[in-house]
């Protein structure tokens, strides 16, 4: 059993409606899983885009410095942004250059892609 969360766990959370982080904490506290695998229902599609502080003109090497401007899309039950940075924060060479994950859900793959691009219908 892999007991760690995968970096893509928000995609699973979006299509199941389940909070896997909460489940992991509850299990670590000795509680049983609230639902068996057979009872987990999946709905629609979700796509994750990773946002990196990289310089494409330098072969996508990490780009360090201060974040001058950061604007995230409006959040909803269908759009999620996981990040630990905000405007004014410093990107250091000592950490992974991934600064955010944008996750979008849709009834089908094309709908999820439209929502990811900010063109939800």
């Amino acid at each position: 059993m892999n007991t760690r969360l995968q970096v893509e766990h928000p995609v699973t959370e979006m299509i199941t409606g389940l909070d896997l982080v909460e489940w992991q904490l509850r299990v670590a506290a000795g509680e049983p899983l609230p639902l068996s695998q057979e009872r987990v229902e999946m709905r629609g599609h979700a796509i994750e885009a990773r946002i990196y502080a990289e310089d494409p003109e330098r072969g996508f090497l990490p780009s360090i410095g201060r974040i001058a401007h950061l604007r995230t899309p409006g959040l909803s039950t269908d759009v999620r942004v996981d990040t630990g940075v905000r405007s004014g924060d410093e990107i250091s060479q000592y950490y992974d250059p991934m600064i955010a994950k944008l996750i979008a859900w849709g009834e089908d793959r094309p709908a999820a892609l439209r929502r990811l691009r900010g063109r939800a219908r």
Side-chain angles (χ1 to χ4, degrees), residues 17-62:
L18 304 172
D19 185 337
L20 299 180
V21 175
E22 178 185 351
W23 281 29
Q24 187 177 44
L25 292 171
R26 289 179 178 274
V27 168
E31 296 180 27
L33 283 172
L35 202 62
S36 68
Q37 182 71 46
E38 297 78 33
R39 295 187 55 214
V40 174
E41 294 183 22
M42 291 181 265
R43 183 177 74 85
H45 292 256
I47 298 175
E48 177 181 294
R50 298 176 186 180
I51 314 302
Y52 283 86
E54 294 178 332
D55 186 348
E57 293 179 8
R58 294 182 38 228
F60 293 94
L61 289 172

Side-chain angles (χ1 to χ4, degrees), residues 10-11 14-15 43-49 73 76-80 102-121:
V11 170
M14 292 288 275
I15 63 172
R43 183 177 74 85
H45 292 256
I47 298 175
E48 177 181 294
S76 69
T77 57
D78 302 333
V79 176
R80 169 177 171 170
L102 171 62
I103 305 95
W105 179 91
E107 287 290 336
D108 55 26
R109 185 171 173 81
L113 277 169
R114 281 192 305 275
R115 192 161 278 130
L116 186 71
R117 292 178 178 132
R119 300 180 189 125
R121 289 185 193 117

